[in-house]
């Protein structure tokens, strides 16, 4: 397939000019870039933020290496960066982030692109920017099988775990306040710690995005059979890759990468690798692409 055109014409022109003059005056060529692209061109390094327990989006595999659906998408962006900047030696540096510090890691410049399970909502868009939607999730509750909890309405007098810094925490606090449900909320530093609160009997339920709950169950191996996810959908969570706001050059390149992946159908293949095929643990999530996500991918060029 021929090389895709970048969405933003100004960016395409700038990068074309960079390629044309790089062999003549590379130090001046970098000067036509701004923001994230300029920093990457100068340092030769892309800094990717990843989560250590957000399977299948972003996690540390058995060897401690970053892996997952969002990481695969980020690495496609890195490939396009290398091509457009003419940097075959472009390096990737992985930086672990948490739900609490991921936004600050982006805004402070510690990472260039956050590759995780971050909800792209209006509040966050005031301070950061997002790629096209990568997944649609919903806040649900995980409980132990056999527990006398069939719905969020059964949580009165019980303890619910959430991960600090997530939208799920805000959703549950608002729900309990609105319905006057006297439940106690406790927080874990990451999803693995939050799950452990239920496993160890310190919480009766875990509130988290549904696909992350399925990932925690899959990651627990045989012990995962002891847990179930309730059907109540308590929120709507569209995910995206996160990067710095007001950076049109980088935003244009990220969007162009998604267009390329959609038009070549690689976007579908990457999804299937993590949601339908066997995970590194040997288990399957078996989560087909939702109609909402399929429609969003069609908008950016996916062909059936």
């Amino acid at each position: 397939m021929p090389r895709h055109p970048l969405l933003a014409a100004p960016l395409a022109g700038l990068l074309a000019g960079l390629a044309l003059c790089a062999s003549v005056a590379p130090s001046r060529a970098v000067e036509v870039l701004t923001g994230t692209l300029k920093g990457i061109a100068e340092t030769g390094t892309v800094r990717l933020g990843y989560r250590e327990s957000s399977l299948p989006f972003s996690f540390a595999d058995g060897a401690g290496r970053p892996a997952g659906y969002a990481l695969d998408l980020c690495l496609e962006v890195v490939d396009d960066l290398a091509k457009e900047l003419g940097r075959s030696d472009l390096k990737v540096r992985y930086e672990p982030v948490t739900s609490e510090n991921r936004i600050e890691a982006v805004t402070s410049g510690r990472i260039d692109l956050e590759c995780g399970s971050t909800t792209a909502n209006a509040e966050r868009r005031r301070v950061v920017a997002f790629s096209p939607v990568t997944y649609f999730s919903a806040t649900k509750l995980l409980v132990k099988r056999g527990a006398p909890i069939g719905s969020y309405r059964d949580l009165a007098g019980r303890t619910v775990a959430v991960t600090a810094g997530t939208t799920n925490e805000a959703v549950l606090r608002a729900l309990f306040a609105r319905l006057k449900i006297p439940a106690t909320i406790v927080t874990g530093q990451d999803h693995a710690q939050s799950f452990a609160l239920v496993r160890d009997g310190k919480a009766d339920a875990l509130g988290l995005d549904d696909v992350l709950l399925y990932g925690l169950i899959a990651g627990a191996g045989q012990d995962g059979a002891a847990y179930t996810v309730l059907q109540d959908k308590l929120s709507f969570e569209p995910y995206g890759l996160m990067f710095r706001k007001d950076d049109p050059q980088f935003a244009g390149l990220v969007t162009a990468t998604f267009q390329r992946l959609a038009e070549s159908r690689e976007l579908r293949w990457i999804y299937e690798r993590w949601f339908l095929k066997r995970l590194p643990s040997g288990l399957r999530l078996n989560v087909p692409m939702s109609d909402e996500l399929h429609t969003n991918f069609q908008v950016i060029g996916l062909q059936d």
Side-chain angles (χ1 to χ4, degrees):
M1 179 177 177
R3 178 69 179 159
H4 65 83
L6 291 176
L7 280 185
L11 175 59
L14 286 172
L15 294 176
L18 171 61
L20 186 62
C21 66
S23 61
V24 179
S27 61
R28 289 180 60 193
V30 172
E31 293 175 5
V32 305
L33 299 174
T34 61
T36 302
L37 286 179
K38 180 177 175 64
I40 292 171
E42 291 174 339
T43 64
T45 301
V46 185
R47 297 160 299 176
L48 301 183
Y50 75 98
R51 308 287 293 281
E52 295 182 301
S53 59
S54 291
L55 189 151
F57 295 90
S58 182
F59 60 97
D61 66 13
R65 296 168 300 198
Y69 172 62
L71 260 298
D72 279 2
L73 294 175
C74 280
L75 290 174
E76 291 290 342
V77 174
V78 172
D79 284 347
D80 285 350
L81 277 167
K83 292 173 184 176
E84 299 296 354
L85 296 176
R87 294 293 301 259
S88 60
D89 61 341
L90 198 61
K91 296 180 177 62
V92 174
R93 189 171 79 200
Y94 295 100
E95 295 279 352
V97 296
T98 67
S99 296
E100 283 192 295
N101 69 20
R102 56 189 165 177
I103 293 177
E104 185 275 334
V106 170
T107 57
S108 69
R110 182 160 69 89
I111 61 174
D112 300 308
L113 191 60
E114 192 258 348
C115 317
S117 51
T118 299
T119 299
N121 59 23
E123 180 181 357
R124 288 172 174 169
R125 287 183 186 277
R126 295 191 186 102
V127 292
V128 292
F130 290 92
S131 70
V133 174
T134 60
Y135 191 84
F136 286 106
S137 186
T139 299
K140 288 190 176 183
L141 295 168
L142 173 146
V143 298
K144 288 184 177 179
R145 290 188 183 277
I149 303 173
S151 164
Y152 63 89
R153 297 181 183 278
D154 299 324
L155 293 174
R158 301 185 183 276
T159 300
V160 182
V162 296
T163 301
T166 61
T167 56
N168 313 113
E169 179 179 1
V171 165
L172 287 171
R173 289 190 186 280
L175 178 70
F176 294 157
R178 186 174 74 252
L179 299 181
K180 296 181 172 54
I181 297 174
T184 299
I185 291 181
V186 294
T187 60
Q189 183 178 356
D190 58 26
H191 302 328
Q193 190 178 100
S194 301
F195 182 54
L197 291 171
V198 177
R199 182 196 64 206
D200 298 340
K202 297 178 180 179
D204 301 292
L206 167 59
L208 193 62
D209 295 351
D210 53 5
V211 67
L212 298 178
L213 293 175
Y214 303 143
L216 289 168
I217 289 173
Q222 293 183 340
D223 293 339
Y227 304 92
T228 188
V229 177
L230 304 183
Q231 291 302 306
D232 296 327
K233 289 185 178 182
L234 308 180
S235 72
F236 184 65
E237 310 286 339
Y239 292 174
L241 308 182
M242 183 169 57
F243 51 93
R244 279 180 286 284
K245 187 177 173 64
D246 300 324
D247 193 345
Q249 288 185 1
F250 191 67
L253 190 139
V254 171
T255 300
T257 296
F258 274 77
Q259 279 196 313
R260 171 177 66 81
L261 294 174
E263 291 167 359
S264 66
R265 303 189 83 246
E266 291 176 78
L267 202 50
R268 178 188 290 277
W269 302 333
I270 293 172
Y271 180 94
E272 292 176 351
R273 175 187 177 191
W274 292 103
F275 293 92
L276 297 178
K277 297 182 179 180
R278 291 192 184 277
L279 296 171
S281 64
L283 299 175
R284 298 176 190 264
L285 290 180
N286 288 322
V287 179
M289 187 180 295
S290 66
D291 291 341
E292 295 90 346
L293 186 60
H294 183 258
T295 299
N296 272 265
F297 285 169
Q298 283 183 318
V299 169
I300 58 175
L302 181 67
Q303 301 294 319
D304 289 325

